[in-house]
Amino acid sequence: MKKRNYLLLVFALVFVACQPKQSKKEEVKISPLAEEVKKEFVRTWDAYKKYAWGHDVLLPLSKSHQDWYEESLHISPIDAYSTMKVMGLDEQAKEVEDYLIDSISWDKDLYVKTFEVNIRIMGGLLAMYEYTYDPKILLKAEDFGKRMLKAFDSPTGLPYYWVNLKTGETKGAKINLAEAASYMMELGILSYYTGNPIYYQTAKKANMAIWERRSDLNLVADLIDVETGEWLNDHSNICAGADSYYEYLYKSMLLFGDKDSQKMWDKSIEAINTYVAEEDEKSLWYGRVNMHTAARDCIDPHSGRQFASVVTLYDAFFQSILALDGDLRRAEKTQDTWNNLWNKYGLEPMIYDYKAGEPTYPVYDLNPEIIESAYYLYHITGKPKYYDMVEKYWSDIKKYCRTEVAFSSVEDVRTMKKKDYMPTFFFAETFKYLYLTFTEETGEFNLDDYVFNTEAHPFAKKSFEPEKVKKNLGLK
Ligand code: DMJ
């Protein structure tokens, strides 16, 4: 080698060796679509900070804010936190942690919705604890959990619809199935981290109270009185108002290995696929049937009309669970069915009658479910069609819901008229599932390693040691 070439080589080696080492996160290239979703998340978060800081919800058209109750519970930041962590937005996440620790107290004389605060606040706080292991955050979660437990003080063990965070008083004895029994995941995780089985046992008691009231077909209805334990209708379905009951049977079995959950799930899914599913060559819908006879004769109490073929866009979560459970045939067909509905309008209507082929309630609230299921199917099957679906959903959301400062719901998917509201789950769920689909190839986040609560707060399976689960949750 000539002397000049040799010197050049030495110089190049020294130059390379002197470059600062990139962190692992920086080495992973994320796709332009993922970059765009992240940028839009930051833009929306900045709008929340500018126009709604300290409040539950950003109103994206009037650029103002709204609280769910007389006082704020800070639901948007708590819901947004785990998406920030997934996106690597550590600075924003730290700001939420500090705000929670320094400025949020649960000692409020407010009646709150037991179900909604469980999935958003309890789920959000527990995810924050798993990311930080900061004992101050666990104390906040435990304090919230103690206040929530008062809701379950009913003759059946099923929770009241409302609980007062300060006084523990309750009201609202008529609740739907999801509100009755979607607590095993969050309260199980709280038991695990506090070492106190009371939380999980209370949640499980509510589930058992539902299961004891199943019909001979192993179906349950979707409305119950928590004081008498009587069903208030006999409609069996997996739609809004029932959805997360089924989701949590499956996911608490996955996370905690509870054999009772497994039994309830196995029998329920068999009954649902036998009686509730309505399939033809092209589509697979999960409609509504009578829990005792399986007849498709469900009368809407408000209109007095048949609504056995009325579904809600929330139902599109179901194929994610079918896919996790290994039933890819049904999962893929159901996703195709919902995808056709999305493409019929460009967004989905909240409520839709698949026999009439018409929306019953045409609002789209920036909901995540169809995106969530496409993400699961992309991860599990690797088929590019699911990535393409999510790309289309994102493109339509940008087209119809993007506003000057953030994103908004749509009043009617037929006219695309915007509505001055941005639900907190847009931060928690919709943004997260979009981002995870577009970063799937990087391998940074592996769905196999996590279980999401119904509000998309992720929990790492490896955090839950089986022996400690048994002991802390009081499992036999
Ligand atoms: C979320 O708040 C939760 O996923 C809930 O279980 C039902 N769906 C909404 C968002 O659509």
Side-chain angles (χ1 to χ4, degrees):
M1 192 185 281
K2 287 212 173 102
K3 193 173 171 208
R4 197 170 66 93
N5 287 352
Y6 175 78
L7 283 175
L8 274 176
L9 181 67
V10 170
F11 177 75
L13 288 174
V14 170
F15 179 78
V16 169
C18 292
Q19 291 308 298
K21 284 235 170 7
Q22 283 186 321
S23 76
K24 191 158 179 293
K25 257 188 189 156
E26 283 162 348
E27 274 169 30
V28 183
K29 278 263 167 302
I30 70 169
S31 72
L33 276 173
E35 284 290 3
E36 185 184 42
V37 170
K38 186 170 170 177
K39 225 170 101 203
E40 287 295 316
F41 177 94
V42 171
R43 187 180 77 94
T44 306
W45 174 248
D46 287 345
Y48 168 79
K49 277 180 64 179
K50 183 160 178 195
Y51 302 110
W53 183 250
H55 295 278
D56 286 327
V57 173
L58 167 71
L59 302 182
L61 298 180
S62 56
K63 298 183 202 159
S64 58
H65 49 77
Q66 204 176 74
D67 290 319
W68 280 24
Y69 311 108
E70 302 88 77
E71 266 184 76
S72 171
L73 292 177
H74 313 276
I75 305 175
S76 277
I78 294 172
D79 246 359
Y81 178 87
S82 64
T83 304
M84 292 169 178
K85 292 303 283 187
V86 164
M87 291 182 175
L89 296 167
D90 290 343
E91 211 178 286
Q92 287 88 337
K94 182 75 176 69
E95 192 179 5
V96 177
E97 284 164 31
D98 292 344
Y99 184 66
L100 172 81
I101 292 167
D102 301 338
S103 317
I104 300 185
S105 148
W106 305 126
D107 195 32
K108 293 179 189 300
D109 190 3
L110 289 180
Y111 277 95
V112 301
K113 294 180 187 172
T114 312
F115 167 79
E116 295 293 351
V117 299
N118 176 56
I119 64 171
R120 301 182 202 223
I121 298 181
M122 183 54 80
L125 293 177
L126 291 167
M128 201 182 291
Y129 179 64
E130 247 198 56
Y131 276 113
T132 59
Y133 288 117
D134 180 337
K136 294 199 249 6
I137 291 170
L138 185 57
L139 280 179
K140 291 275 178 197
E142 195 176 9
D143 178 32
F144 198 76
K146 284 185 183 148
R147 294 166 196 273
M148 260 186 67
L149 276 196
K150 303 272 172 40
F152 294 79
D153 194 6
S154 74
T156 56
L158 292 165
Y160 284 90
Y161 188 85
W162 298 97
V163 60
N164 186 302
L165 285 180
K166 194 183 188 77
T167 66
E169 287 165 285
T170 51
K171 59 185 186 184
K174 293 181 179 40
I175 55 166
N176 67 38
L177 182 61
E179 290 154 358
S182 306
Y183 303 91
M184 282 201 290
M185 212 179 139
E186 292 82 3
L187 296 188
I189 295 168
L190 186 61
S191 280
Y192 184 80
Y193 283 126
T194 58
N196 186 349
I198 183 96
Y199 303 107
Y200 184 70
Q201 291 301 323
T202 303
K204 186 166 171 181
K205 188 172 168 209
N207 268 78
M208 298 315 287
I210 292 292
W211 188 238
E212 280 158 17
R213 290 166 173 81
R214 70 193 180 279
S215 72
D216 293 344
L217 302 180
N218 284 330
L219 292 173
V220 295
D222 70 7
L223 202 63
I224 195 161
D225 186 313
V226 307
E227 287 176 345
T228 65
E230 298 286 322
W231 290 115
L232 297 171
N233 67 26
D234 44 24
H235 307 158
S236 198
N237 59 82
I238 55 105
C239 306
D243 45 5
S244 48
Y245 165 75
Y246 296 104
E247 183 181 353
Y248 278 16
L249 287 183
Y250 191 84
K251 288 184 172 174
S252 49
M253 163 186 104
L254 204 60
L255 205 54
F256 308 133
D258 187 330
K259 297 211 170 55
D260 293 322
S261 306
Q262 167 111 48
K263 203 169 73 197
M264 292 188 273
W265 165 259
D266 287 347
K267 291 201 182 304
S268 299
I269 189 62
E270 195 189 337
I272 285 164
N273 279 328
T274 308
Y275 304 114
V276 180
E278 196 170 23
E279 183 167 9
D280 62 21
E281 220 180 285
K282 284 203 201 116
S283 53
L284 172 49
W285 294 104
Y286 286 85
R288 293 164 201 260
V289 300
N290 180 298
M291 71 185 277
H292 302 290
T293 64
R296 292 191 188 273
D297 63 348
C298 297
I299 302 293
D300 181 351
H302 305 296
S303 66
R305 289 209 298 264
Q306 266 302 340
F307 77 128
S309 54
V310 170
V311 289
T312 68
L313 58 75
Y314 299 80
D315 315 4
F317 85 98
F318 200 57
Q319 33 303 5
S320 67
I321 306 296
L322 290 172
L324 277 184
D325 197 29
D327 187 350
L328 280 177
R329 186 195 77 75
R330 286 193 182 86
E332 294 199 68
K333 190 160 179 184
T334 313
Q335 181 68 15
D336 284 343
T337 305
W338 280 97
N339 187 54
N340 288 339
L341 178 60
W342 180 287
N343 286 327
K344 181 171 176 183
Y345 297 99
L347 297 173
E348 294 159 305
M350 180 82 65
I351 310 182
Y352 182 73
D353 186 330
Y354 59 83
K355 289 253 161 79
E358 278 170 10
T360 315
Y361 184 55
V363 167
Y364 174 64
D365 259 345
L366 294 163
N367 308 75
E369 287 79 0
I370 195 171
I371 305 170
E372 170 183 4
S373 286
Y375 162 59
Y376 275 64
L377 282 165
Y378 183 50
H379 175 81
I380 292 169
T381 69
K383 292 184 185 168
K385 72 181 251 197
Y386 296 114
Y387 185 98
D388 297 345
M389 282 183 191
V390 177
E391 188 170 352
K392 170 74 164 63
Y393 304 149
W394 173 231
S395 140
D396 288 335
I397 288 173
K398 277 186 295 177
K399 186 160 158 197
Y400 301 118
C401 308
R402 194 174 186 274
T403 72
E404 189 196 333
V405 298
F407 289 82
S408 75
S409 300
V410 159
E411 256 175 34
D412 190 325
V413 295
R414 294 163 301 193
T415 62
M416 298 298 179
K417 186 174 185 297
K418 289 191 169 75
K419 179 178 151 191
D420 192 15
Y421 200 77
M422 194 193 78
T424 73
F425 56 70
F426 186 57
F427 277 132
E429 299 190 70
T430 316
F431 266 126
K432 190 180 282 124
Y433 292 129
L434 287 164
Y435 183 80
L436 288 177
T437 308
F438 298 146
T439 51
E440 169 72 8
E441 308 312 331
T442 67
E444 268 214 325
F445 185 100
N446 186 347
L447 177 58
D448 300 340
D449 297 338
Y450 292 88
V451 182
F452 289 100
N453 87 333
T454 189
E455 192 74 0
H457 296 304
F459 295 93
K461 288 180 189 164
K462 69 168 193 292
S463 309
F464 298 90
E465 295 161 29
E467 279 315 307
K468 196 168 155 194
V469 166
K470 269 195 193 156
K471 182 168 165 280
N472 291 7
L473 274 63
L475 293 176
K476 291 203 187 84

